[in-house]
Amino acid sequence: MKIDWKRKLSSRKFWAAVTGFVVAILFAFNIADVTVEKVTSIISATAILIAYILAEGFVDGKNEDNKEE
């Protein structure tokens, strides 16, 4: 079974799961709330950037396919 990483990394559900997991771990180790907020912001920003890059790559790929026809 092969994992489709492009699809996985652009999934909001995947990033929500990653964020939830990391936040739970940080709270389990009694990390300061401010730090948890910062880590959550970094994960969210990363997710947005990756989704944007993958979406743009998909659109660019479709445009190239249409030019070749």
Side-chain angles (χ1 to χ4, degrees), residues 15 18-20 22-24 26-27 33-47:
W15 288 106
V18 168
T19 303
V22 171
V23 167
L26 293 174
F27 277 124
D33 290 348
V34 173
T35 303
V36 173
E37 289 173 6
K38 288 179 182 179
V39 169
T40 302
S41 296
I42 291 168
I43 293 171
S44 298
T46 302

Side-chain angles (χ1 to χ4, degrees), residues 7-22:
R7 186 172 177 205
K8 187 74 66 187
L9 291 174
S10 63
S11 166
R12 291 175 293 176
K13 292 177 187 176
F14 173 76
W15 288 106
V18 168
T19 303
F21 175 77
V22 171

